[in-house]
Structures are given as structure tokens and as C-alpha cells.
């Protein structure tokens, strides 16, 4: 409850420029939020792949390793996605 009173005492936050201000207050950009969402969807797909392994040991090993690799990609995307895609979303210099 004390934290809430500290936020109220800091003064009003101007949100007149829309979502850019909102994302700045929570410390995340819109692109970072999308990247985290994509990583979460990929992680859910990887866990689902792990749960659907077959009884054949060779096929289960292949599908399991594919699921582990997919989960690894999701973790890397969640950790470093905003850095990886920062050059993609930045406007190109004209000249």
C-alpha cells in the first residue's frame, strides 16, 4: 500500500501522446512487447511439441530434440529479441 501512495505523490503522468508514453512508463517499447509475445507463443508451441512425443524411441528423440531447439529459440528471443530486431524497426537513413 505504501508503494501506491509513492506513485500518487510523484505527480500526474501525461499520457497525451498515446501508447508511447504508456510503454515508456512500464519500461518497454511496443516492439519489445511484441517480441515478448512472439517468444511466449513459440514457447507454448515447444511445450506442446514435448507433450506429443510418440512411443517409438527414435521418433521421440527426434521430436524431443526439435522441441528443445524450439524452446531454446523462444528463450533467446525473449532475452535478446529487442536487441536483435532493433535494427529492423529503426527507420532507414535517407541520403
Amino acid at each position: 500500500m505504501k508503494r501506491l501512495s509513492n506513485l500518487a505523490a510523484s505527480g500526474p503522468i501525461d499520457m497525451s501522446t498515446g501508447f508511447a508514453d504508456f510503454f515508456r512508463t512500464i519500461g518497454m517499447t511496443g516492439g519489445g512487447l511484441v517480441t515478448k509475445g512472439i517468444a511466449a507463443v513459440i514457447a507454448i508451441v515447444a511445450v506442446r511439441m514435448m507433450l506429443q512425443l510418440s512411443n517409438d524411441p527414435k521418433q521421440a528423440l527426434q521430436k524431443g530434440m526439435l522441441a528443445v531447439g524450439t524452446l531454446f529459440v523462444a528463450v533467446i528471443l525473449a532475452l535478446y529479441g529487442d536487441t536483435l530486431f532493433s535494427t529492423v524497426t529503426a527507420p532507414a537513413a535517407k541520403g
Side-chain angles (χ1 to χ4, degrees):
M1 196 64 160
K2 188 173 184 166
R3 179 183 164 132
L4 184 61
S5 63
N6 287 341
L7 289 175
S10 65
I13 299 173
D14 180 24
M15 295 284 187
S16 62
T17 57
F19 284 108
D21 285 337
F22 170 70
F23 288 129
R24 196 175 310 120
T25 58
I26 63 172
M28 185 177 288
T29 63
L33 189 63
V34 169
T35 305
K36 301 285 190 227
I38 291 171
V41 169
I42 292 173
I44 290 169
V45 168
V47 169
R48 187 166 184 256
M49 288 169 63
M50 284 183 189
L51 295 176
Q52 292 182 344
L53 296 179
S54 66
N55 291 332
D56 180 31
K58 184 178 178 183
Q59 192 175 22
L61 184 62
Q62 289 174 346
K63 286 186 177 183
M65 291 306 295
L66 184 64
V68 168
T70 306
L71 191 59
F72 177 74
V73 168
V75 169
I76 293 300
L77 187 61
L79 292 175
Y80 303 112
D82 53 346
T83 306
L84 290 171
F85 294 119
S86 65
T87 58
V88 176
T89 58
K94 293 184 179 182

